[in-house]
Amino acid sequence: MGSKFGMAGGIPERRVRPIWDAVDSRQFKAALKLSTALLAKYPNSPYALALKALILERMGKPDEALSICLNAREQLYSDEAAPIDDLTLSTIQIVFQRLDRLDLATSCYEYACGKFPNNLELMMGLFNCYVREYSFVKQQQTAIKMYKVVGEERFLLWAVCSIQLQVSCGDGGEKLLVLAEGLLKKHVASHSLHEPEALLVYISILEQQAKYGAAIEVLSGKLGSLIAIEVDRLRMQGRLLARACDYAAAAEIFQKVLESCPDDWECFLNYLGCLLEDDSSWCGGTIKDQIRPPKFMDCKLSHLTDEVFDSRVSKASCFVQNLQEEANNDSIRCPYLATLEIERRKHLYGKGDVVKIKEALLNYFCRFGHLPCFTSDVEMFLELLTDDERVEFLEKIRRSCDSSSVPVKALGQSISIFKLQELFGTMFKLPIGVLEETAVQMTKMYCKNLQLSRDLDPQENMHGEELLSMACNVLVQLFWRTRNIDYLLESIMVLEFGLTIRRYVWQYKVLLVHLYSLLNALPLAYEWYKSLEIKNILLETISHHILPQMLMSPLWVDLADLLKDYLKFMDDHLRESADLTFLAYRHRNYSKVIEFVLFKERLEHSNQYLLARLEAHILQLKQKSHNIEEEECILESLSSGVRLLELSTNDGCKPLTFNEDMQSRPWWTPSPDKNYLLGPYEEGSFCHQNDLQLLTKEKEADACKIFERRSLLPRMIHLSIQCASSLKENVEANGSMPDNKSSAELKSLLERYAKSLGFLFSDALEEIFAIAEGQQSFEVFNLEMVDWMNFAVFLNAWNLGSHELELPDREGCLLDSWHIVDSMIERITLEKLRSLQPIIRSPGGDLSVLLQIVTEPLAWHSLVVQSCVRSMLPSGRRKKKSGPADQSSSSLSRVVRGSIQSMHGVIEEVSKWLREQIMRPEDENLDTLLSSLRREGLNEGPGQVLQILEALASTGDPGIGNRISQALQSWNTIEVARKILVSQSSVLSEFLQICESKLKLLQALKQQL
């Protein structure tokens, strides 16, 4: 077997090289021509066939590529004389992998390894296939075979890593770890270990079995020298000793680390925990988030006597004092934070001294208060103070500020004081007048200190940038408390001003995304989001800033692009993550092997990713709902909705992961489904950081229900169309029987849908009837209003096919099921419409709810109507021979016509309102928007901050430098306001366009009847 020198897959390399050169330069037509010529000379060569298949796949011809590659596979199996080498097999693998047929690639390698069982190159290719399939057991078996053939350490470690993956990600029991330990022990006894990563794997195997003593023995022996950096070895040794409950020895080790690395905060926490015999950081195993380890943990101190506790704390204090004396670098913060942590532990033990805590905090402020990280550093220690003590502390640090100090330091300290006010929540207790003064003070401070940044590069952070973000937060709070939209507009002007000076401040952009979304200026919000240039994994963590708003907007083209970019990254990463894993194996970085696989599993079960996959298809259904034939084509491509339904029925729905970075969201919208600005201001109603965990848990608890409802939609739409097509009139026309299977399945899905809403099917019916009859307000549905309307639409479709629904006080079941839908859509839509204020002065509002009603329940109901009309005209658009008079007299014809009329009236009212908003003169809107903000001589109310910024922009200040001065010349409040109006108008126009397409459809249906 194998290729001879100068041969590629049994073909001279000089004949193959030009083809690869053409492929690499993307000249696929030329490559195909050369490949065809090569096949003419070597018609039965698996390599030549695989090469042509590769070219066809790159040209976007997957079917032809698959056919030829299958031919290559058959030639490989059937021709005993065919050369089998890794080049041929890897080419076949590339094609099958890109065609999502990894199983076929694996079968080729399995055949080759069966034919040449001791060929290392082929076995490595087979191992690679199993890595791509995440077949951990087969990875282990193949790696063991390779180890037995050549006895290399790396293959043994491949097998051990595969065992760890079975335990971590698969169904493998802990007994497998004993096997892994035995394999390593045997190898160490005969060959020792030669790589640092090999030692780390060995220790991790022992650690997973809680064999800490054995791990310490290995690390302390000859193998410990594999870890060349002593501090790393000491950290590992200290961790193992602590887990073995040898706290005294562990504390000594951590003390040595701190003497070498005095700014290692995590190490100090470990040192203090061991000194106080606190196992709270060790008893749970490894810290789950190694990237962001916790700053402090819950402590267990009650088991220590007073004497022992005092002695240990005194020892820690003396050590920390020595660290402070030896630290000659102003950037080393750990020894000073350590003093605070010691005082915190004393407080938890019941021996705390508030005076000492405040003194330590004050000292830390004097030394590090100018740093941006100051507030986050001391946040946990400030929790020990009461509200009165916090106020007193704020006064002390204000007095301690030295105005004669370096301007940059003085500015940093002032910013830290403002941050502490935000952290304490004191801003929410200040009178409105004081809040306005605070915003003015922040803005003046920003303008005054602009000169400090005159010589900085535009991409460098400017001094005092945070002041504008904080001023914006204050103005937004003023809007919440007064409901005066001018504060909201002023906050936008502040951020636009900051971005005019420096376009790279991501915090400003994120705030603008949410503020413009609140003002229904989604195109502007999306524009600022795009300017963030979110790429790679940040698409998973940052998309939540815009995706929820876009899903409820009429900007369908932009939404499709957003979903496409996000899904492309996620799909590509999940497809290519196996390449990274195998690369980690090849480079012997075994800790990364585990990390890559766990990371891939986390992304694969991402709630946002799974929802985006659903919403991308639901968007297509929304876009084509005016044409039932096109809708059915989309449904057919989704296997009639079965493919999406499987997403919620498989086990993958249960362990959803939430990877969004919620800390980057503004205070007023801590999660996508929570916005304080949409409700009235109530003192104490604001959710502080400590309460955000509860909010997150509630969101995660509801996520699976929401996901299930959305995954049911496409299948329910398909079944509704089927049920509406199998009516009595259709039976009379062509003798076909109603599709009872569709009706039965639709009922089972309705039961699941009701359950996801928290109701039994029978109870959900009662709720629907009460709303339709006006006995209950639809406001009880709250955020799930559209979901309930969808339920009513599909309930009607099910009743059309089954006739099982029994309703009181109505003459016919058929009539009543239509009445429920028509009544709900008309009543809820018109009430929402009446509550809408002009978009220009009403942030938030029910515009997005109105859009959802039109594009979901009303759209799905229109599909049911289209299906009914089509069933009455069995020969396409031809009318039945019985004539239109008979049709108009039928009960179905009456209710369908009535439903069409009802929907037409509802959409006509919505369209009328939209036209009124769009047709308002721009100058009138501009005057309405800016009239209150641009008054001169303002001493109270909105506009004070804007006056300061306009004065700076108009007069100019030579001290701020040419770059900033020139940038300010382009800032114009009128242009900002005009962009807002244009953006709002664009949203309304897109919505109107959707409504007009619905009206056109309904008018055509009227004519058919």
Side-chain angles (χ1 to χ4, degrees):
M1 69 139 295
S3 295
K4 297 178 182 178
F5 181 74
M7 303 288 282
I11 302 172
E13 190 175 350
R14 59 185 175 79
R15 292 185 174 275
V16 176
R17 176 50 50 196
I19 299 176
W20 278 112
D21 289 342
V23 170
D24 291 341
S25 60
R26 303 186 64 81
Q27 297 176 18
F28 298 128
K29 288 185 178 180
L32 183 62
K33 186 177 180 180
L34 291 169
S35 174
T36 304
L38 184 69
L39 262 176
K41 189 167 183 64
Y42 302 94
N44 298 320
S45 167
Y47 180 61
L49 288 165
L51 201 52
K52 184 173 183 179
L54 176 69
I55 296 165
L56 288 168
E57 194 281 328
R58 295 287 177 88
M59 294 176 73
K61 299 178 179 180
D63 295 335
E64 291 181 51
L66 179 60
S67 175
I68 293 175
C69 208
L70 286 172
N71 189 10
R73 177 171 169 264
E74 289 305 315
Q75 288 293 333
L76 205 65
Y77 287 4
S78 59
D79 189 354
E80 291 292 330
I84 300 178
D85 60 358
D86 189 58
L87 182 60
T88 301
L89 291 170
S90 62
T91 307
I92 291 173
Q93 182 195 35
I94 291 170
V95 179
F96 281 140
Q97 180 189 342
R98 292 176 68 94
L99 295 172
D100 290 327
R101 293 302 306 270
L102 285 174
D103 56 320
L104 297 174
T106 303
S107 66
C108 290
Y109 270 100
E110 287 173 339
Y111 171 77
C113 287
K115 195 171 181 181
F116 304 99
N118 293 327
N119 185 277
L120 186 63
E121 194 177 51
L122 294 179
M123 283 193 284
M124 287 179 68
L126 180 59
F127 183 84
N128 187 9
C129 288
Y130 291 143
V131 168
R132 293 180 186 283
E133 293 181 349
Y134 296 93
S135 301
F136 305 133
V137 176
K138 292 182 178 179
Q139 283 178 218
Q140 175 197 335
Q141 294 167 347
T142 307
I144 290 290
K145 287 179 183 176
M146 288 189 283
Y147 176 64
K148 288 179 178 178
V149 170
V150 293
E152 286 187 29
E153 181 180 291
R154 58 172 173 156
F155 296 128
L156 175 65
L157 292 167
W158 287 16
V160 171
C161 276
S162 301
I163 289 173
Q164 284 186 297
L165 288 170
Q166 290 175 61
V167 176
S168 302
C169 310
D171 301 324
E174 293 191 4
K175 289 182 180 179
L176 287 171
L177 295 173
V178 179
L179 170 63
E181 181 189 352
L183 290 170
L184 285 167
K185 263 186 182 177
K186 186 177 179 181
H187 182 82
V188 169
S190 57
H191 299 87
S192 188
L193 294 176
H194 303 91
E195 302 171 21
E197 279 282 332
L199 176 61
L200 296 178
V201 170
Y202 191 9
I203 289 175
S204 70
I205 289 290
L206 294 170
E207 226 178 327
Q208 282 179 280
Q209 300 176 83
K211 295 182 178 180
Y212 305 120
I216 293 167
E217 187 179 339
V218 170
L219 189 63
S220 304
K222 291 181 180 179
L223 293 177
S225 61
L226 288 172
I227 300 178
I229 301 174
E230 185 184 4
V231 172
D232 291 343
R233 185 170 65 253
L234 289 173
R235 286 193 182 99
M236 192 181 303
Q237 189 176 349
R239 186 185 75 233
L240 292 169
L241 286 166
R243 288 191 174 146
C245 297
D246 190 350
Y247 295 120
E252 289 182 12
I253 296 294
F254 286 128
Q255 184 170 328
K256 288 181 182 178
V257 175
L258 285 167
E259 287 168 355
S260 301
C261 307
D263 212 24
D264 189 336
W265 176 241
E266 184 183 359
C267 184
F268 174 76
L269 291 178
N270 294 336
Y271 162 74
L272 190 59
C274 290
L275 207 59
L276 300 175
E277 297 181 16
D278 173 21
D279 67 345
S280 55
S281 60
W282 312 110
C283 59
T286 57
I287 296 170
K288 289 184 179 179
D289 191 352
Q290 296 287 358
I291 299 172
R292 293 180 293 273
K295 292 181 181 177
F296 69 101
M297 306 141 191
D298 293 332
C299 306
K300 297 178 182 177
L301 306 172
S302 58
H303 62 288
L304 297 178
T305 64
D306 287 357
E307 186 179 352
V308 172
F309 179 79
D310 291 340
S311 171
R312 304 273 175 87
V313 165
S314 177
K315 182 179 179 180
S317 298
C318 290
F319 175 59
V320 167
Q321 186 66 34
N322 290 335
L323 287 179
Q324 291 178 2
E325 290 172 0
E326 293 172 6
N328 54 8
N329 189 333
D330 289 340
S331 63
I332 295 178
R333 313 195 314 275
C334 175
Y336 302 93
L337 274 176
T339 302
L340 285 163
E341 178 63 17
I342 291 170
E343 291 299 328
R344 188 181 80 88
R345 300 286 178 115
K346 289 166 65 177
H347 176 85
L348 293 174
Y349 190 77
K351 292 193 170 188
D353 187 339
V354 174
V355 174
K356 287 186 177 179
I357 293 173
K358 287 192 287 187
E359 183 181 339
L361 283 167
L362 185 59
N363 289 337
Y364 193 79
F365 176 80
C366 292
R367 185 175 288 271
F368 302 110
H370 62 287
L371 298 178
C373 61
F374 169 78
T375 308
S376 60
D377 282 351
V378 300
E379 180 179 355
M380 54 186 158
F381 307 113
L382 292 169
E383 292 178 5
L384 304 176
L385 305 181
T386 64
D387 288 344
D388 291 339
E389 288 167 346
R390 289 178 178 182
V391 172
E392 182 186 345
F393 173 67
L394 272 175
E395 288 302 317
K396 277 189 176 180
I397 61 174
R398 279 197 186 100
R399 290 196 296 269
S400 70
C401 288
D402 185 3
S403 58
S404 62
S405 62
V406 178
V408 173
K409 185 173 181 179
L411 175 63
Q413 288 180 332
S414 299
I415 291 173
S416 292
I417 292 173
F418 283 131
K419 283 184 178 179
L420 287 175
Q421 286 182 285
E422 284 187 338
L423 179 66
F424 294 158
T426 53
M427 294 282 192
F428 291 90
K429 300 173 184 176
L430 296 175
I432 289 183
V434 177
L435 263 184
E436 290 176 349
E437 290 174 11
T438 303
V440 168
Q441 184 184 355
M442 290 172 174
T443 309
K444 285 181 177 178
M445 191 178 295
Y446 172 82
C447 295
K448 178 184 176 183
N449 288 282
L450 269 178
Q451 57 186 343
L452 298 176
S453 306
R454 60 177 297 168
D455 298 323
L456 294 179
D457 186 271
Q459 295 194 25
E460 288 186 80
N461 289 339
M462 292 175 60
H463 299 294
E465 274 182 347
E466 293 160 296
L467 287 165
L468 290 190
S469 298
M470 290 189 284
C472 168
N473 286 331
V474 172
L475 291 168
V476 171
Q477 189 197 147
L478 283 165
F479 160 73
W480 187 28
R481 293 171 66 171
T482 64
R483 309 311 298 178
N484 188 338
I485 194 176
D486 293 325
Y487 287 117
L488 211 57
L489 294 170
E490 192 172 15
S491 68
I492 288 174
M493 300 295 178
V494 167
L495 297 171
E496 290 275 6
F497 179 89
L499 286 166
T500 301
I501 292 176
R502 197 173 85 88
R503 306 286 290 181
Y504 304 100
V505 190
W506 68 267
Q507 294 92 336
Y508 296 174
K509 295 179 181 181
V510 167
L511 290 170
L512 278 176
V513 166
H514 290 278
L515 288 172
Y516 280 135
S517 298
L518 188 66
L519 284 176
N520 293 305
L522 255 297
L524 272 179
Y526 185 55
E527 184 181 325
W528 279 118
Y529 172 80
K530 286 192 294 183
S531 73
L532 287 167
E533 296 183 354
I534 304 299
K535 296 175 183 175
N536 300 327
I537 195 59
L538 287 178
L539 286 166
E540 167 70 356
T541 59
I542 301 297
S543 294
H544 64 91
H545 286 293
I546 192 68
L547 186 55
Q549 300 96 292
M550 294 294 286
L551 286 172
M552 294 192 292
S553 82
L555 308 179
W556 285 349
V557 174
D558 291 332
L559 173 58
D561 290 341
L562 183 65
L563 289 169
K564 180 183 175 184
D565 291 343
Y566 169 69
L567 290 172
K568 183 180 185 303
F569 161 74
M570 294 292 284
D571 291 338
D572 287 350
H573 181 84
L574 293 173
R575 191 183 303 112
E576 296 165 4
S577 61
D579 293 330
L580 296 174
T581 306
F582 187 66
L583 203 60
Y585 274 116
R586 291 291 292 263
H587 288 275
R588 309 180 189 197
N589 196 340
Y590 304 113
S591 58
K592 287 295 179 186
V593 169
I594 311 294
E595 183 182 322
F596 287 153
V597 173
L598 291 175
F599 186 64
K600 175 256 180 187
E601 288 213 337
R602 184 176 182 87
L603 286 188
E604 200 169 34
H605 295 94
S606 160
N607 174 63
Q608 183 172 256
Y609 171 55
L610 294 173
L611 268 180
R613 286 175 62 187
L614 287 173
E615 294 296 347
H617 296 301
I618 292 173
L619 175 62
Q620 291 180 308
L621 294 172
K622 288 180 182 179
Q623 290 173 313
K624 301 299 181 183
S625 60
H626 61 280
N627 187 314
I628 193 169
E629 284 81 14
E630 292 185 18
E631 191 85 351
E632 287 174 327
C633 289
I634 295 171
L635 288 168
E636 185 179 350
S637 70
L638 300 174
S639 303
S640 302
V642 173
R643 189 149 55 87
L644 299 182
L645 192 62
E646 289 171 352
L647 288 176
S648 65
T649 54
N650 63 16
D651 294 334
C653 177
K654 295 175 184 175
L656 293 176
T657 59
F658 299 85
N659 307 316
E660 298 92 336
D661 176 18
M662 294 300 179
Q663 296 297 320
S664 61
R665 294 183 69 86
W667 65 263
W668 65 83
T669 172
S671 69
D673 52 356
K674 182 71 176 177
N675 193 321
Y676 294 109
L677 304 185
L678 298 180
Y681 173 77
E682 294 178 15
E683 191 170 341
S685 64
F686 169 62
C687 182
H688 292 284
Q689 291 293 324
N690 294 340
D691 304 318
L692 290 183
Q693 291 181 351
L694 181 62
L695 197 65
T696 303
K697 286 180 181 177
E698 290 175 359
K699 178 202 169 197
E700 292 178 2
D702 293 337
C704 212
K705 295 178 181 178
I706 295 170
F707 176 68
E708 181 172 20
R709 283 201 294 273
R710 301 304 283 175
S711 65
L712 291 172
L713 270 181
R715 183 63 180 167
M716 294 175 82
I717 292 169
H718 168 76
L719 293 173
S720 296
I721 292 172
Q722 296 301 307
C723 288
S725 299
S726 57
L727 298 174
K728 183 179 178 182
E729 282 82 354
N730 200 34
V731 174
E732 292 175 351
N734 53 32
S736 64
M737 294 299 294
D739 189 353
N740 292 325
K741 288 184 179 179
S742 295
S743 180
E745 184 184 352
L746 184 54
K747 184 180 180 182
S748 70
L749 296 184
L750 281 168
E751 289 171 348
R752 282 178 60 183
Y753 199 93
K755 186 178 179 181
S756 72
L757 290 166
F759 286 80
L760 295 173
F761 181 66
S762 56
D763 295 335
L765 290 183
E766 291 181 9
E767 291 288 322
I768 290 290
F769 300 158
I771 293 293
E773 294 296 325
Q775 299 171 6
Q776 186 169 295
S777 170
F778 62 84
E779 296 295 341
V780 297
F781 293 155
N782 199 9
L783 298 174
E784 296 170 337
M785 182 189 304
V786 173
D787 295 320
W788 278 98
M789 295 174 75
N790 285 337
F791 178 79
V793 169
F794 300 131
L795 182 71
N796 172 53
W798 164 68
N799 194 47
L800 290 175
S802 68
H803 307 289
E804 293 181 24
L805 199 60
E806 296 182 1
L807 302 177
D809 303 327
R810 292 283 172 185
E811 294 179 0
C813 300
L814 192 63
L815 180 61
D816 276 308
S817 62
W818 287 92
H819 169 75
I820 290 171
V821 179
D822 294 340
S823 174
M824 281 190 73
I825 290 177
E826 185 172 344
R827 184 178 165 211
I828 294 174
T829 306
L830 294 181
E831 285 196 31
K832 287 290 179 185
L833 192 61
R834 281 192 288 269
S835 68
L836 276 179
Q837 299 296 319
I839 189 173
I840 188 175
R841 300 290 294 183
S842 58
D846 291 325
L847 187 65
S848 61
V849 178
L850 209 58
L851 175 75
Q852 279 185 288
I853 293 172
V854 171
T855 57
E856 289 203 24
L858 196 146
W860 313 146
H861 189 48
S862 72
L863 285 168
V864 173
V865 169
Q866 290 177 70
S867 184
C868 287
V869 172
R870 189 173 61 179
S871 73
M872 289 185 271
L873 304 172
S875 302
R877 294 180 177 274
R878 291 197 318 250
K879 296 188 176 182
K880 293 190 291 183
K881 294 180 181 179
S882 54
D886 291 338
Q887 290 181 45
S888 62
S889 63
S890 70
S891 60
L892 177 63
S893 181
R894 282 199 305 274
V895 293
V896 169
R897 192 183 297 109
S899 192
I900 292 172
Q901 191 63 42
S902 175
M903 284 192 288
H904 191 282
V906 167
I907 298 177
E908 190 60 59
E909 287 297 317
V910 174
S911 301
K912 180 182 176 184
W913 184 87
L914 291 170
R915 289 190 191 96
E916 288 174 358
Q917 302 301 309
I918 294 170
M919 296 302 293
R920 289 186 62 179
E922 183 181 298
D923 291 342
E924 180 184 328
N925 287 336
L926 207 57
D927 185 60
T928 304
L929 206 59
L930 293 175
S931 57
S932 302
L933 277 178
R934 294 177 63 83
R935 292 176 296 159
E936 295 184 2
L938 288 172
N939 294 317
E940 61 179 18
Q944 298 177 68
V945 170
L946 188 59
Q947 280 186 353
I948 297 169
L949 299 180
E950 286 186 327
L952 178 66
S954 59
T955 59
D957 181 355
I960 63 178
N962 290 332
R963 183 186 66 81
I964 298 175
S965 297
Q966 290 174 3
L968 289 179
Q969 291 176 8
S970 63
W971 183 69
N972 189 314
T973 53
I974 295 177
E975 285 306 311
V976 173
R978 184 172 279 114
K979 283 196 300 182
I980 293 172
L981 293 174
V982 170
S983 184
Q984 289 177 333
S985 179
S986 176
V987 171
L988 295 173
S989 298
E990 292 290 337
F991 190 2
L992 180 60
Q993 192 174 340
I994 293 170
C995 289
E996 287 174 343
S997 71
K998 304 289 182 198
L999 289 173
K1000 186 177 179 181
L1001 164 68
L1002 294 171
Q1003 193 62 39
L1005 291 174
K1006 274 185 184 180
Q1007 293 175 358
Q1008 289 185 48
L1009 288 174

